[in-house]
Amino acid sequence: MNDRVIVITGASSGIGAELAQAVAKRGAKVVLLARRKKELEAIAAACGPSALAIPTDVTKRAEVQAAFERAKARHGHIDAWVNNAGRGITKLPSQVTDEDVDEMMRVNVKSALYGVQAVLPHFQERGRGHLVNVSSMLGRVPFALARSVYSASKHFLNAFTANLRMELAATHPGIQVSLVSPGVVGTDFGLNALHGGEDSRKLPFAQPVAEVAQVIVSVLENPRADVYTRPQMQQQVVAYFSAEDLGQAERRPPFSAK
């Protein structure tokens, strides 16, 4: 990863912060995007002198575009862009409001769209680059009803990513497009969910954030189209969708009304 320029959104905490430090240790030059200036600058300091912190609201297209321009001006090019920013929600599907849906789409879908569309012309001009979208197991399987709109937004992200990958494979085969799907991760994600939520770090089987970051590092080093952060996750997805009756499958563990 020596001297590769990698942009990471949602980099002030959680997966993004851990990933930034992991790739910086491997010689990458990181550009970190998030809204919280103080926290973002602290992570940048931990990543070394080449790190660039750009306070950015990634739900605003103009700010994402400005961050891209600043990163390119600093380093001359960008090698990879990781759309990691995201937010959960705690509300049952029958109770969600227009505002709930809009917020989930802004943070989990539009932020990735803006990142893709900011950097893609640069990748197309260079004939190479790597886009990584961080999704969720809830974008595959409805394990948590209270996360229904988050789950729906990640389904959207999954479909968009796959279609983008196929489009670029035909026109720009040097551009890689990857999707990474974690499950429960030991971060403050749950506490920061819209309408509050449980501390993800206290949930059973929460995956250490360092493990998730290492999976994304491996994808950046050896691009793959679609990756789960734990091996058994893919089998869970296959088991769900191969069930003869999804209704019966949903009445068995690990599905929950929480």
Side-chain angles (χ1 to χ4, degrees):
M1 280 198 181
N2 281 344
D3 296 325
R4 289 184 68 191
V5 179
I6 301 176
V7 178
I8 303 169
T9 74
S12 62
S13 64
I15 295 171
E18 191 74 24
L19 175 63
Q21 294 171 83
V23 295
K25 287 178 182 177
R26 287 164 170 76
K29 297 175 180 177
V30 293
V31 180
L32 310 180
L33 277 54
R35 287 181 294 184
R36 297 182 296 175
K37 184 175 186 290
K38 181 179 178 182
E39 291 83 353
L40 193 67
E41 290 178 344
I43 299 301
C47 291
S50 68
L52 175 61
I54 307 177
T56 306
D57 183 345
V58 294
T59 68
K60 297 180 178 178
R61 184 186 288 274
E63 291 196 25
V64 176
Q65 185 65 39
F68 161 75
E69 299 291 349
R70 187 173 167 190
K72 184 172 178 290
R74 169 73 171 266
H75 295 294
H77 71 279
I78 295 169
D79 295 294
W81 186 292
V82 182
N83 287 308
N84 166 71
R87 189 183 187 189
I89 185 173
T90 305
K91 188 177 281 189
L92 292 174
S94 61
Q95 300 170 359
V96 296
T97 65
D98 288 353
E99 291 75 18
D100 294 330
V101 174
D102 291 345
E103 174 69 1
M104 290 297 98
M105 293 300 290
R106 275 192 298 267
V107 179
N108 299 323
V109 174
K110 286 191 173 182
S111 67
L113 174 66
Y114 298 158
V116 166
Q117 293 184 339
V119 76
L120 185 54
H122 173 64
F123 285 172
Q124 290 170 324
E125 182 180 357
R126 299 185 77 212
R128 64 185 185 276
H130 194 176
L131 288 160
V132 179
N133 290 336
V134 178
S135 185
S136 169
M137 270 291 283
L138 293 182
R140 302 290 193 197
V141 183
F143 282 146
L145 298 186
R147 296 274 191 261
S148 62
V149 185
Y150 172 80
S151 178
S153 70
K154 291 298 188 178
H155 276 276
F156 188 125
L157 181 63
N158 294 355
F160 173 76
T161 303
N163 281 274
L164 177 65
R165 181 169 53 246
M166 290 187 287
E167 175 191 353
L168 294 175
T171 62
H172 295 82
I175 301 175
Q176 306 293 324
V177 181
S178 301
L179 187 82
V180 178
S181 297
V184 178
V185 184
T187 69
D188 57 3
F189 176 85
L191 295 176
N192 292 330
L194 188 62
H195 308 305
E198 297 180 79
D199 188 340
S200 301
R201 292 164 292 198
K202 297 180 180 179
L203 294 177
F205 311 115
Q207 187 173 14
V209 66
E211 286 186 8
V212 175
Q214 288 304 315
V215 172
I216 302 174
V217 169
S218 74
V219 171
L220 288 166
E221 291 179 329
N222 299 288
R224 287 160 285 163
D226 199 294
V227 177
Y228 296 88
T229 61
R230 280 180 165 163
Q232 66 270 31
M233 291 177 175
Q234 185 171 9
Q235 284 71 46
Q236 291 176 326
V237 174
V238 170
Y240 174 69
F241 282 105
S242 63
E244 185 174 343
D245 184 340
L246 289 183
Q248 289 185 359
E250 291 159 1
R251 288 191 285 273
R252 297 192 294 267
F255 297 94
S256 169
K258 293 181 180 180

